[in-house]
Amino acid sequence: MTAILVDGGFYLKRAKALWGEKTPEDRANELIEYCHRHLKDGHRNNELYRIFYYDCPPATKTVFNPVTQKSDNLEKSDIYKWSTSFQNELKKKRKVALRLGRLSDGQINYMLKYETLKELCSGKRSLESLTQSDLTLTIVQKGVDMKIGLDISSIAFKKQANQIVLIAGDSDFVPAAKLARREGIDFILDPLWSPIKPELFEHIDGLNSKTPKPKAKVAALLEE
């Protein structure tokens, strides 16, 4: 029995770089199909316990835009509409559980991209030359990592599955992974070809991305 846990924010960024932009329905179908690849073990198909998807509801805050000098209502943005439709599509899927955290309202702001900031500081760019593409919207999630850790612990203690596949890219899962392994769980990490720290290998039972390794050009885009 396999439980698959997906860090939603991480998955959406990697999926866009790997497979391009898609409609909410197509992205949801892609996610389910990708998760099911992890159930194939040679000539045997493992049984799916459940797919847990972790994210936050899309932001609805009104944020000041320093380039346009106007306030942007995020609830009227295309990303709000896309994210809402995507999460609604996932709710319709069999054996999928949405685990939604919350957004930190005080930490939703536009910020300059790193390369733009360097060019401004070196004098290569002027403030007058800034465009919307020089900004990035920073949004801080609350409670997502905790929900992942709690679900890993619950699955392990209740013996609801004997294998956990985590689709994620950071190391915040290490304490929960160590607990699961002590309880006899086979713990697999899928970072979608994102590089991981060498020391993480001692805390997992396997590293497995179920898509061909991206070519150099795509890999460079992923790292950005």
Side-chain angles (χ1 to χ4, degrees), residues 88-116:
N88 286 337
E89 288 294 330
L90 288 182
K91 292 175 183 178
K92 303 174 186 176
K93 303 298 183 183
R94 186 174 181 273
K95 286 197 172 185
V96 173
L98 259 65
R99 296 283 197 263
L100 299 181
R102 62 183 179 84
L103 301 178
S104 176
D105 287 340
Q107 294 177 279
I108 302 178
N109 298 285
Y110 282 111
M111 295 185 65
L112 286 172
K113 293 180 178 178
Y114 178 67
E115 290 300 323
T116 300

Side-chain angles (χ1 to χ4, degrees), residues 177-197:
K178 291 170 67 175
L179 181 150
R181 294 179 76 212
R182 286 197 298 268
E183 293 297 314
I185 300 292
D186 180 37
F187 196 96
I188 306 298
L189 175 66
D190 179 355
L192 287 168
W193 293 107
S194 173
I196 69 170
K197 298 177 181 178

Side-chain angles (χ1 to χ4, degrees), residues 1-6 34-35 37-41 46 148 152 162-170 173 176-178 180-181 184-192 196 200-201 203-210:
M1 186 77 74
T2 299
I4 302 176
L5 285 61
V6 184
Y34 184 81
C35 288
R37 295 181 195 178
H38 277 286
L39 302 178
K40 297 178 181 179
D41 183 11
N46 294 327
I148 293 176
I152 291 175
N162 53 30
Q163 182 184 67
I164 291 176
V165 176
L166 176 62
I167 301 176
D170 57 38
F173 65 85
K178 291 170 67 175
R181 294 179 76 212
I185 300 292
D186 180 37
F187 196 96
I188 306 298
L189 175 66
D190 179 355
L192 287 168
I196 69 170
L200 291 185
F201 283 98
H203 303 301
I204 60 177
D205 293 303
L207 190 71
N208 192 1
S209 293
K210 291 291 189 177

Side-chain angles (χ1 to χ4, degrees), residues 35-53:
C35 288
H36 277 262
R37 295 181 195 178
H38 277 286
L39 302 178
K40 297 178 181 179
D41 183 11
H43 297 292
R44 182 186 67 181
N45 286 343
N46 294 327
E47 185 178 353
L48 175 66
Y49 170 59
R50 190 161 290 134
I51 297 171
F52 298 87
Y53 183 85

